[in-house]
Amino acid sequence: MLVFRLLVLLLLVQGMCNFLHIPQCSIREPVPILHKYYQSGDLIIAGIISQIYIFSETLSFQKHPSQEFSDDHIHFSASWTYEASIELLSRRTKVIPNYKCDAENTPIAVIGGPNSNVCLHMAPILSTYKIPQLIYGSSPVMNKQSEGVFFHQMFPDGDHQYRGIIQLLLHFQWTWIGVVSQDGENTEGFIENVLPMFSQSGICFDFIEKFPQQTTSSGVTDMVEEGFHTISVLMGSTTNVVVVHGEIQTMMALKMVPQVLNFEHIPMRTKGKVWFMTAQVDITSFPFQRNWDIGFLHGSLSLAVHSVDLLPFQKFLQIKNPTTGKEDGFIKDFWEESFDCSFPSSVADHIGGQICTGEEKMEALPMSVFEMGMTAHSYTIYNAVYAVAHALHIRHLSQLKHRGMTMGVGRGLPNQQPWQLNHILRSISFNNSAGERVHFDENGKLIADFDIINWLMFPNQSFLRVKIGKIDSVGTEEKSFTIHEDAIVWPSQFNQTRPISICNDHCGSGYSRTKKEGKPFCCYDCIPCPEGKISNQKDMDDCFQCSEDQYPNIGQDICLPKDISFLSYNEPLGISLATFALLLTFTTASVLRIFIKHKETPIVKVNNRTLTYVLLLALLLSFLCPLLFIGQPTKMTCLLRQTAFGMIFSVAVSCILAKTTIVVLAFMATKPGSRMRRWVGKQQATSIVLFCCLIQAILCSVWLATSPPFPDLDMQSVTKEIVLECNEGSVTMFYCVLGFMGMLAIVSFSVAFLARKLPASFNEARFITFSMLVFCSVWLSFVPTYLSTKGKYMVAVEIFSILASSFGLLGCIFSPKCYIILLRPELNSRGQLIIRKN
């Protein structure tokens, strides 16, 4: 069995108050690393880990620079990480690289974290010696690509985490968020490269702020002012969700939020916030923050690298105390800070303070100070150690195979060179003792899921991390995470309902959204859908048309099926028109019967009896013609209705033209020496009628032969109806037929107007003039009325025009004659005709 021991060299990169006051400059060794732990072994795995914060002064040039600790901070000191990296390559008590005068071994691998700065600053030295570096925090921004070859990231690909956060925000419909990050090396890359991914997914930002970078004691005032500004913006925002991006120390800045609110009385626009923390953020604090209330984090969400709680780890912590590790250089300081006690170095130190006994139990500490369970960071370090162990094992087996070692040879460990492990770690895959698979991608990044954590805070400073779901490492874009939303405990201000975080209220159905000028893209106004369009979902960018057989409802949020519409015999309008048509048909038939019965009377004979019969038959058919327009259109009715109407009215109007023309010719023939006598007779009247009807027949024939009418569906004219109609086919031919009929009417009116005062007995010219005036008025008003109506009412307008114009001809021409025939028969005699003629 190979023996693996762990050296954890813990740097105090950030930390406790420790001010140096050296009276004079002198040549000294570099600043000693105050907190470190060493345990000898056959193979050494080192750790450079940020654990404790140390406050230090800036350089005053009154002391030796090596005793000033740093030119920096309350924050991170790069020089300490460089020094620790050099010490790993040196003898234990002297910082002399490559020089070893005792039994210490050079580490075969180094575990670094949790801050990216730690990993960034140990890389230049350790990469020079090709030492594998397993980092378990944020990936640092590398200045040299070659140094990244020796990095093996125990943290999954950051893009995988950010895509998961985006999917979760969209799942909760949180499109209006704030972003706050810890000012550091990775912040600019996050803002420039990651936040555009949020925008592309439809998420926009109320604010993007930074917690100030912790700086020197001389810059504390500026840092505080900057911090107050950030918190003022954060809590004064309208968003209910704040994404916190940072590292483990970001929690210490976040804990300042409620304290600043109480101190500065900053007004809050919303009652509470849902803090959504990235996986690098974890519970940690300054010593003076140990009793601060963390209830404001209740109901928060975060991600964490998937971990498993290991019972042996808790047992290990339960027996840990300051007496168990003699070479543990940081446990006493940890003990004093955690239990608020001190280990006295003299009798005088016993006065005025609690004494540490070393028997205190860590499980008694508030969870905000120390957690007994294995956190995601601890689990990642655990896997890092296992990864190195498995890599060493693979390397050892490979050396045994190639050297062909014989029995009894090679009982000790073969010479292990750190650089030999790099290519093994890149492709390693194994199951750890918890049964979890550990493996890396081609870029040396851990392939692992993220747990979705819901934080539950309690008044006694304890808390629970409740796993409510996970983001799959191999999940598809559509299904990259699972979540049990019913298990989430939301901040108390939201009464256990999912918080809403949008720039403005959703645009409901029936509305579309339009961008607000000068505002982020997810801030918009809601405008009603234009007429004829609908929106059936929230926040639609545009309304859309219903299909042709549907129409929008009043709320313009659904499409309703259109009713089938045509002028039917079953509706009042159709019944009324059909009744009038039949009644007028009966009236015309009665007039025709009267004229036939009294055909030998002068009043019938004097005005061309044959033309009179033809005219009455034409009028009778014109009153029946509307019946072709009522009812569901068919192929036959569509072919007949307009052509029959055109032919029948052409016959009627040509008869009137012939009658009027004959009257004029007869008057002209009575003049002495007139040559017009040969033009007076029945043949001329018949010729006029036949000629006019022939022209109309030719027009109708061409129409039917080229582009005949046909049944059609009009889905556009009437909003709520599909109109069954007869498509006229050729509109040109339709207007040619109507135009010819109108021309006949105008000619007839003109001739009748000229002959209205001729001194002839039973002269019809006056009646014809008036009848044609009615006829033309009806059809002139028909055109605009027809074009302005839609659907079945267009048909009704045409039927009314046919009935009205026909009735005008019937009434104006034949009612005076019927009056004489029926009521004044004494006037219907030859004697009266001669008297009237003279």
Side-chain angles (χ1 to χ4, degrees):
M1 287 287 292
L2 293 177
V3 179
F4 297 103
R5 301 293 180 97
L6 173 65
L7 162 66
V8 181
L9 180 59
L10 295 166
L11 293 186
L12 305 185
V13 180
Q14 304 158 344
M16 307 182 321
C17 293
N18 200 334
F19 299 97
L20 297 182
H21 299 284
I22 302 175
Q24 60 183 4
C25 294
S26 60
I27 300 175
R28 295 179 181 273
E29 291 292 330
V31 180
I33 296 176
L34 300 180
H35 300 85
K36 56 187 177 182
Y37 175 81
Y38 176 81
Q39 184 175 345
S40 61
D42 299 316
L43 297 171
I44 303 298
I45 303 175
I48 301 180
I49 299 171
S50 171
Q51 291 283 10
I52 302 175
Y53 276 70
I54 295 178
F55 290 78
S56 64
E57 296 282 359
T58 56
L59 287 174
S60 63
F61 296 99
Q62 296 177 357
K63 311 170 187 177
H64 190 283
S66 64
Q67 298 299 319
E68 295 278 3
F69 279 112
S70 168
D71 60 354
D72 238 21
H73 334 265
I74 322 173
H75 186 26
F76 170 78
S77 173
S79 62
W80 296 341
T81 304
Y82 291 139
E83 186 177 343
S85 303
I86 293 174
E87 184 166 321
L88 290 178
L89 306 171
S90 310
R91 53 177 296 200
R92 291 186 60 188
T93 58
K94 296 286 186 180
V95 182
I96 306 174
N98 302 321
Y99 176 75
K100 293 184 290 186
C101 62
D102 52 23
E104 290 187 16
N105 291 328
T106 301
I108 57 172
V110 177
I111 299 173
N115 302 327
S116 60
N117 283 333
V118 173
C119 309
L120 179 66
H121 294 295
M122 73 184 191
I125 295 173
L126 298 181
S127 296
T128 302
Y129 290 85
K130 299 181 175 59
I131 295 177
Q133 299 152 63
L134 292 88
I135 59 176
Y136 67 92
S138 301
S139 174
V141 178
M142 302 301 298
N143 297 323
K144 295 181 180 179
Q145 196 67 28
S146 58
E147 294 176 355
V149 176
F150 308 105
F151 267 56
H152 308 279
Q153 192 171 331
M154 300 304 297
F155 190 87
D157 186 2
D159 288 344
H160 173 47
Q161 174 183 206
Y162 299 131
R163 284 194 297 269
I165 292 175
I166 291 172
Q167 291 298 316
L168 284 171
L169 291 173
L170 295 177
H171 171 77
F172 293 124
Q173 299 179 0
W174 294 337
T175 57
W176 180 241
I177 67 170
V179 176
V180 63
S181 59
Q182 184 74 56
D183 196 5
E185 297 287 341
N186 288 348
T187 303
E188 293 303 324
F190 170 75
I191 293 175
E192 293 177 5
N193 301 324
V194 177
L195 292 188
M197 295 168 53
F198 284 66
S199 300
Q200 292 165 9
S201 300
I203 299 169
C204 55
F205 311 105
D206 189 5
F207 63 87
I208 301 173
E209 289 290 330
K210 299 177 185 177
F211 284 128
Q213 186 172 15
Q214 296 163 351
T215 182
T216 63
S217 57
S218 62
V220 167
T221 302
D222 293 338
M223 182 184 72
V224 170
E225 290 181 357
E226 186 179 347
F228 279 10
H229 169 75
T230 297
I231 294 173
S232 177
V233 171
L234 191 154
M235 300 310 297
S237 66
T238 58
T239 179
N240 286 325
V241 177
V242 179
V243 173
V244 181
H245 173 266
E247 298 182 342
I248 191 169
Q249 75 273 10
T250 304
M251 181 59 70
M252 292 183 285
L254 194 59
K255 283 185 176 181
M256 301 294 293
V257 172
Q259 303 299 321
V260 172
L261 291 177
N262 293 332
F263 182 75
E264 288 291 301
H265 304 291
I266 296 175
M268 297 174 60
R269 300 268 307 265
T270 57
K271 294 182 179 180
K273 304 288 184 186
V274 178
W275 306 95
F276 199 134
M277 295 171 281
T278 55
Q280 298 93 325
V281 180
D282 208 341
I283 291 289
T284 187
S285 63
F286 289 116
F288 59 81
Q289 294 177 320
R290 60 179 296 146
N291 294 320
W292 285 10
D293 182 26
I294 56 175
F296 75 102
L297 293 175
H298 180 71
S300 298
L301 301 176
S302 72
L303 299 186
V305 179
H306 175 68
S307 63
V308 177
D309 198 8
L310 300 174
L311 184 60
F313 180 71
Q314 295 185 23
K315 291 181 178 179
F316 167 76
L317 293 177
Q318 288 170 353
I319 62 174
K320 191 72 175 173
N321 60 58
T323 63
T324 57
K326 294 181 179 179
E327 298 191 22
D328 191 336
F330 79 93
I331 193 168
K332 285 190 175 182
D333 285 340
F334 165 77
W335 211 264
E336 289 178 338
E337 292 296 338
S338 299
F339 291 101
D340 196 18
C341 63
S342 61
F343 289 100
S345 57
S346 65
V347 177
D349 293 336
H350 288 202
I351 302 173
Q354 184 177 346
I355 305 301
C356 295
T357 65
E359 299 300 323
E360 292 85 0
K361 299 297 183 183
M362 284 196 289
E363 58 261 35
L365 291 171
M367 291 184 68
S368 59
V369 175
F370 187 80
E371 294 182 66
M372 293 294 290
M374 179 167 275
T375 65
H377 281 121
S378 301
Y379 186 70
T380 307
I381 297 173
Y382 161 83
N383 282 331
V385 175
Y386 261 87
V388 175
H390 277 273
L392 287 168
H393 182 65
I394 293 171
R395 179 60 185 165
H396 179 55
L397 293 179
S398 176
Q399 288 177 338
L400 289 178
K401 179 179 178 180
H402 287 87
R403 291 183 182 181
M405 298 182 68
T406 59
M407 185 66 65
V409 180
R411 293 175 61 87
L413 286 171
N415 183 28
Q416 300 285 353
Q417 297 297 326
W419 58 268
Q420 296 174 327
L421 300 181
N422 282 299
H423 74 282
I424 300 176
L425 286 170
R426 287 277 170 173
S427 58
I428 199 168
S429 179
F430 63 91
N431 289 339
N432 62 19
S433 61
E436 298 265 314
R437 188 184 179 200
V438 180
H439 59 298
F440 300 83
D441 63 15
E442 65 277 5
N443 298 318
K445 296 181 180 180
L446 181 71
I447 300 175
D449 297 337
F450 284 100
D451 291 327
I452 306 171
I453 305 297
N454 186 206
W455 295 77
L456 308 184
M457 303 298 178
F458 303 103
N460 62 354
Q461 297 297 302
S462 62
F463 60 88
L464 287 178
R465 306 171 194 253
V466 180
K467 295 181 181 179
I468 56 171
K470 69 175 182 177
I471 297 175
D472 299 324
S473 58
V474 293
T476 61
E477 187 73 21
E478 295 78 16
K479 193 176 181 182
S480 60
F481 69 93
T482 56
I483 190 168
H484 306 290
E485 191 170 349
D486 293 340
I488 300 177
V489 175
W490 299 111
S492 56
Q493 295 89 344
F494 299 104
N495 297 321
Q496 201 45 37
T497 58
R498 180 201 289 182
I500 298 173
S501 192
I502 53 178
C503 182
N504 44 255
D505 291 336
H506 290 290
C507 291
S509 300
Y511 291 81
S512 63
R513 58 186 186 179
T514 181
K515 187 181 182 302
K516 286 184 177 180
E517 292 296 328
K519 294 289 185 179
F521 65 87
C522 60
C523 299
Y524 45 81
D525 290 319
C526 301
I527 58 174
C529 289
E531 185 178 355
K533 292 187 176 183
I534 73 160
S535 64
N536 56 6
Q537 296 178 6
K538 291 181 179 179
D539 295 337
M540 293 191 68
D541 292 325
D542 197 8
C543 302
F544 61 91
Q545 295 275 6
C546 293
S547 60
E548 288 189 336
D549 60 345
Q550 296 178 323
Y551 70 95
N553 66 338
I554 295 177
Q556 292 183 278
D557 55 358
I558 59 173
C559 291
L560 301 175
K562 290 183 177 180
D563 296 327
I564 302 297
S565 173
F566 57 90
L567 187 58
S568 170
Y569 286 107
N570 298 323
E571 59 182 301
L573 181 60
I575 294 173
S576 300
L577 292 173
T579 301
F580 278 115
L582 294 175
L583 181 62
L584 291 173
T585 301
F586 176 77
T587 301
T588 306
S590 300
V591 172
L592 178 61
R593 184 173 178 276
I594 292 172
F595 271 66
I596 293 175
K597 184 177 180 181
H598 300 86
K599 62 183 178 179
E600 299 300 332
T601 60
I603 200 167
V604 175
K605 295 172 65 177
V606 75
N607 291 119
N608 199 321
R609 183 169 51 190
T610 303
L611 285 179
T612 300
Y613 293 158
V614 173
L615 175 58
L616 285 172
L617 286 174
L619 290 176
L620 187 147
L621 292 176
S622 68
F623 288 127
L624 290 175
C625 185
L627 299 180
L628 293 174
F629 290 79
I630 304 175
Q632 182 173 345
T634 63
K635 185 176 182 180
M636 184 58 65
T637 56
C638 287
L639 288 173
L640 290 177
R641 60 168 58 171
Q642 298 294 358
T643 53
F645 157 67
M647 287 301 302
I648 291 171
F649 267 74
S650 295
V651 171
V653 176
S654 62
C655 286
I656 293 173
L657 177 61
K659 289 170 68 70
T660 309
T661 303
I662 293 302
V663 170
V664 173
L665 293 177
F667 175 76
M668 295 177 66
T670 59
K671 294 181 179 181
S674 175
R675 298 180 180 179
M676 300 300 296
R677 292 183 179 181
R678 65 177 183 271
W679 295 101
V680 178
K682 294 183 179 180
Q683 292 182 349
Q684 285 74 13
T686 303
S687 299
I688 292 173
V689 172
L690 291 177
F691 177 75
C692 293
C693 291
L694 178 62
I695 294 176
Q696 188 70 290
I698 292 173
L699 291 175
C700 290
S701 299
V702 173
W703 185 7
L704 294 178
T706 55
S707 181
F710 59 91
D712 195 11
L713 300 177
D714 180 6
M715 298 185 180
Q716 305 298 329
S717 298
V718 183
T719 303
K720 300 180 181 181
E721 297 176 350
I722 299 175
V723 180
L724 296 183
E725 64 175 9
C726 287
N727 189 307
E728 308 305 344
S730 174
V731 177
T732 302
M733 294 306 301
F734 172 65
Y735 283 111
C736 286
V737 169
L738 290 181
F740 179 74
M741 187 178 67
M743 183 193 69
L744 287 179
I746 292 172
V747 172
S748 297
F749 172 75
S750 301
V751 174
F753 181 79
L754 294 174
R756 70 188 186 284
K757 294 184 179 180
L758 294 178
S761 299
F762 304 112
N763 182 10
E764 293 181 298
R766 290 190 294 272
F767 305 123
I768 290 175
T769 301
F770 189 70
S771 67
M772 294 311 299
L773 181 62
V774 173
F775 184 89
C776 292
S777 299
V778 169
W779 286 105
L780 286 175
S781 62
F782 160 78
V783 175
T785 306
Y786 182 81
L787 295 177
S788 63
T789 54
K790 298 178 180 179
K792 62 185 179 182
Y793 297 104
M794 294 179 68
V795 179
V797 167
E798 188 170 0
I799 292 175
F800 177 81
S801 299
I802 292 172
L803 294 177
S805 58
S806 300
F807 180 71
L809 296 178
L810 179 66
C812 293
I813 296 175
F814 293 99
S815 59
K817 296 180 181 181
C818 290
Y819 172 77
I820 293 175
I821 294 172
L822 297 177
L823 300 179
R824 301 293 300 275
E826 69 275 10
L827 298 179
N828 189 10
S829 64
R830 183 176 178 82
Q832 287 293 329
L833 177 63
I834 295 172
I835 295 173
R836 291 173 62 86
K837 189 174 181 179
N838 295 329

